[in-house]
Amino acid sequence: MLFSRLPPESFDQLLQPIDNERHHAGSVLYKEGCVGKEIFSIRSGLVKLIRLGLDGSERVVRLLGKGAVVGLELLDQGEVYKHTAVTLQTVDLCRIPKVTLFDLERHHPELCVTVRQKLQYHVDRADHWIEHLNTGKARSRIAELLLLLAEIGADSNGDIELVSRDDMASIAGITKETASRIIAEFKRHRLLYRVAANNTHRIQAEMLRELIQRESQSD
Amino acid sequence: MLFSRLPPESFDQLLQPIDNERHHAGSVLYKEGCVGKEIFSIRSGLVKLIRLGLDGSERVVRLLGKGAVVGLELLDQGEVYKHTAVTLQTVDLCRIPKVTLFDLERHHPELCVTVRQKLQYHVDRADHWIEHLNTGKARSRIAELLLLLAEIGADSNGDIELVSRDDMASIAGITKETASRIIAEFKRHRLLYRVAANNTHRIQAEMLRELIQRESQSD
DNA sequence: CGCGCTTTTGATCGTCTTCAACTTAGGTGG
DNA sequence: CCACCTAAGTTGAAGACGATCAAAAGCGCG
């Protein structure tokens, strides 16, 4: 994670502690516009970053999993968070005070590069979001979403936990009804099926990719 | 720009030069997937970053103007560019070899923070893109686009240079015909009008914002 | 078991896409 | 300087896709 390249003794005399925490699904890590002093490194589970519209509607702008760091905007850009961060599953994370990061950075300048890489990851994810989750027909977008979930949120078996239809809708820029219909269609065609009592699902990644290709060439 | 906080003498003995260049509209700065050794700091004019789809279609993922730096992915992330960068207008820029940046960074560790801020800017722009240019009805999106152009690309009079209908379409995730119709409608309602022989236009920012609000509450 | 919430499904409606024809603008060469 | 050519933009008509509204079904939980 963020500090994996630092020697253990660097942590001996920190002014503020780095906490490990476990959150259940639906926990709000922080809110858009609120002053904050902590960033979060995700050890496991999925977190969504959302923006609230004037009318109260929410738009998901990023899904982040293991290894990602959220709240980095606090470092270079003022004291308020730019998104609301909500856990989508049970999430294990480190809560890192911003001052702690500054402390460590003073003795380990190379940490700045690590942070930059974490930021670059956000850029890459955002670009991918625009290109794949907000482009093309609804069917393709949901297919892309399933592939994304498999990429960043798969368990040891490669299985995924589906997000709510509302979240799917807000991710893909469609309505929850459309999302529901498409998921139902995918299940009927066996592109997606449940493998446990909870909402653990398995996807046919290759067939989903073929579907995406078909949809785009017909346009 | 990127080096504004560095002392002038830092540039005396650089191994490689920093060039100032002027490009006309339609110039390709670099291509997605190509190995590159230079980043670009924009002094004036607009640049688009695009991603190419499997079918040859292009998707604009960012518009950048004065002060933005493009190609930063080379620093932390391998040697190839992740987008194709194309100038939309006459653009003045600095071409900065990546090794030069590393050189300078060695003697000026604070430069790393500056780079981080430039990256954070990309994240902010990408989030804004998702929230405003890829959400809601086509009319709102085009209105948002005009506001964006005014924000990052306005001249000293606050006037903007319109982008092509194709670019509008690729930015907002709609078709060029729809973009054309909406621009025509805006002109009819005097939300937008030409102020010179070239395509310099003036917008009624406040009325556009009202339009956006109206559209979203009726959903 | 009943309550509330999410999901599903259906029917209708509106927006945007698509395809095609036409117009305009810009650039080149006669 | 104008005729021509090509690319960009405009406009219309048709149809598709997704949104919307409404109702029913499924599900978790007290």
Side-chain angles (χ1 to χ4, degrees), chain B residues 39-100:
Chain B
I39 65 163
F40 302 83
S41 178
I42 305 171
R43 303 173 77 88
S44 73
L46 279 186
V47 172
K48 66 174 174 180
L49 298 189
I50 66 185
R51 283 281 181 84
L52 303 168
L54 301 164
D55 49 349
S57 63
E58 77 174 51
R59 181 73 157 98
V60 179
V61 300
R62 219 158 303 143
L63 282 186
L64 296 162
K66 184 179 172 180
V69 180
V70 301
L72 287 174
E73 63 266 35
L74 292 186
L75 299 185
D76 295 319
Q77 194 126 16
E79 26 184 38
V80 303
Y81 294 111
K82 301 224 171 166
H83 314 90
T84 297
V86 182
T87 58
L88 290 176
Q89 310 165 348
T90 299
V91 167
D92 287 309
L93 54 77
C94 302
R95 177 187 294 262
I96 308 166
K98 160 176 158 176
V99 294
T100 302

Side-chain angles (χ1 to χ4, degrees), chain A:
Chain A
M1 38 157 285
L2 204 52
F3 306 128
S4 47
R5 301 171 134 208
L6 299 187
E9 59 270 24
S10 305
F11 301 92
D12 290 348
Q13 37 194 337
L14 289 177
L15 297 169
Q16 303 214 23
I18 295 176
D19 284 339
N20 286 309
E21 303 177 354
R22 164 161 288 190
H23 291 261
H24 291 291
S27 173
V28 176
L29 300 183
Y30 54 79
K31 285 189 182 160
E32 179 181 350
C34 292
V35 303
K37 304 198 179 319
E38 292 154 332
I39 65 163
F40 302 84
S41 178
I42 305 171
R43 304 173 76 88
S44 73
L46 280 186
V47 172
K48 65 174 174 181
L49 298 189
I50 66 186
R51 282 281 181 83
L52 303 169
L54 301 163
D55 50 349
S57 63
E58 78 173 51
R59 181 74 158 98
V60 179
V61 300
R62 220 159 300 142
L63 282 186
L64 296 161
K66 185 178 171 180
V69 180
V70 301
L72 286 175
E73 62 266 36
L74 293 187
L75 299 186
D76 294 320
Q77 193 125 20
E79 26 184 35
V80 303
Y81 293 112
K82 300 221 170 168
H83 314 90
T84 297
V86 182
T87 58
L88 289 176
Q89 310 167 348
T90 299
V91 167
D92 288 309
L93 53 78
C94 302
R95 176 188 294 262
I96 308 165
K98 160 176 159 175
V99 294
T100 302
L101 208 53
F102 285 147
D103 266 5
L104 288 168
E105 218 169 46
R106 206 167 307 127
H107 301 97
H108 303 279
E110 71 275 18
L111 188 55
C112 183
V113 174
T114 310
V115 170
R116 231 162 59 180
Q117 287 168 345
K118 294 298 179 183
L119 252 192
Q120 179 69 47
Y121 182 77
H122 280 251
V123 177
D124 293 342
R125 281 298 158 202
D127 288 340
H128 183 272
W129 199 272
I130 295 168
E131 187 184 1
H132 296 286
L133 299 173
N134 282 305
T135 304
K137 302 243 166 74
R139 205 172 285 104
S140 304
R141 299 187 188 192
I142 296 296
E144 292 277 9
L145 170 56
L146 294 176
L147 292 173
L148 176 65
L149 287 174
E151 188 184 339
I152 68 171
D155 63 19
S156 52
N157 299 318
D159 295 330
I160 62 175
E161 199 169 322
L162 287 188
V163 300
S164 76
R165 301 299 174 270
D166 271 311
D167 282 332
M168 288 185 188
S170 172
I171 289 165
I174 58 179
T175 59
K176 58 177 182 293
E177 291 92 337
T178 300
S180 175
R181 277 183 246 268
I182 291 171
I183 289 295
E185 184 189 321
F186 282 0
K187 285 180 179 171
R188 249 179 278 125
H189 295 354
R190 302 257 91 196
L191 295 171
L192 172 72
Y193 50 89
R194 191 148 63 154
V195 293
N198 50 43
N199 70 348
T200 303
H201 289 254
R202 187 162 299 166
I203 63 169
Q204 296 287 350
E206 211 37 65
M207 295 177 72
L208 287 171
R209 275 187 271 268
E210 284 167 19
L211 178 145
I212 292 165
Q213 189 124 20
R214 274 199 307 279
E215 293 272 337
S216 73
Q217 73 193 37
S218 69
D219 280 349

Side-chain angles (χ1 to χ4, degrees), chain A residues 113 116, chain B residues 75 100-113 115:
Chain A
V113 174
R116 231 162 59 180
Chain B
L75 299 185
T100 302
L101 208 54
F102 285 147
D103 267 6
L104 288 168
E105 218 169 46
R106 204 166 309 125
H107 301 99
H108 303 278
E110 71 276 17
L111 188 55
C112 183
V113 173
V115 171

